Amino acid sequence: MLDKKVAELINTQINKEFYSAYLYLHFSNYYTEHGLNGFANWYNIQAQEERDHAMLMMQYMQNNDAPVTLEGIDKPQAELNNNMDPLRAGLEHECYVTSLINTIYEAAYNVKDFRTMQFLDWFVKEQGEEETNAGDLIKKMELFGSDPKSLYMLDQEMGARVYTAPSLVL
């Protein structure tokens, strides 16, 4: 059995991951409306990843006989006024998610729940990659986003991203 607090935190995180998917769909929609289909693709894939994160956590809870409670998902509140806004909001959100994962890890550590800590190791590593990717997008947009030809090439690069499902053994 999972520790009650650890289970509650993971359950909350499941819902946060689904919110993350909504947020990234919001970003994708913004870019689609502004003719940047490559960036829209990038955030559609991000949304798929976040959904998969939630599903992995759900499976972990179920494998440990812990109940899962799905809550309503809030409407994304990010205000998007220019091409940089989704990127900055994305980095900020990834940093927030990292803090949530760290909180769950700390709770598991405090009760010596090594199995949950091992499960979370993948998410800790993933969050490092997510923050790096989000920061890199900002740097690229700062370097190339003001030149239409460069922005076109950058958008093409974002459009080439393909989805790869996570390979995490539960």
Side-chain angles (χ1 to χ4, degrees):
M1 285 291 290
L2 288 176
D3 174 78
K4 183 179 179 182
K5 180 178 180 181
V6 171
E8 287 173 1
L9 288 169
I10 293 172
N11 195 88
T12 298
Q13 189 62 33
I14 290 167
N15 290 285
K16 297 284 187 182
E17 296 291 337
F18 281 125
Y19 172 81
S20 296
Y22 267 39
L23 180 65
Y24 292 145
L25 290 173
H26 178 55
F27 295 171
S28 176
N29 187 54
Y30 170 85
Y31 285 122
T32 297
E33 289 175 354
H34 290 85
L36 293 170
N37 294 327
F39 280 89
N41 173 67
W42 201 91
Y43 277 110
N44 273 329
I45 290 172
Q46 279 301 109
Q48 287 177 293
E49 284 188 4
E50 302 304 337
R51 179 195 166 277
D52 281 352
H53 296 170
M55 298 302 290
L56 288 168
M57 290 182 183
M58 279 181 61
Q59 186 65 56
Y60 183 77
M61 294 279 284
Q62 292 164 347
N63 289 350
N64 287 280
D65 296 322
V68 174
T69 304
L70 298 175
E71 303 291 341
I73 301 172
D74 293 334
K75 176 182 175 182
Q77 296 299 313
E79 191 172 318
L80 310 177
N81 297 311
N82 61 59
N83 293 340
M84 189 64 89
D85 285 346
L87 305 179
R88 287 189 179 122
L91 176 58
E92 182 180 330
H93 185 72
E94 289 300 342
C95 291
Y96 170 66
V97 171
T98 297
S99 75
L100 297 173
I101 298 295
N102 289 342
T103 297
I104 302 168
Y105 200 101
E106 180 180 26
Y109 176 82
N110 288 339
V111 296
K112 296 182 171 42
D113 182 352
F114 301 112
R115 181 176 39 187
T116 298
M117 290 166 55
Q118 184 179 25
F119 169 71
L120 292 172
D121 283 342
W122 183 88
F123 289 95
V124 169
K125 181 177 181 275
E126 175 73 5
Q127 281 310 119
E129 292 171 8
E130 296 289 7
E131 288 183 24
T132 297
N133 291 340
D136 288 349
L137 283 176
I138 290 171
K139 289 175 191 170
K140 288 179 179 182
M141 184 64 83
E142 287 173 344
L143 286 170
F144 307 114
S146 61
D147 174 56
K149 290 178 185 174
S150 296
L151 180 58
Y152 175 81
M153 297 297 290
L154 185 56
D155 190 56
Q156 295 300 304
E157 178 184 330
M158 298 302 112
R161 183 180 185 199
V162 295
Y163 178 69
T164 305
S167 58
L168 174 64
V169 178
L170 300 178

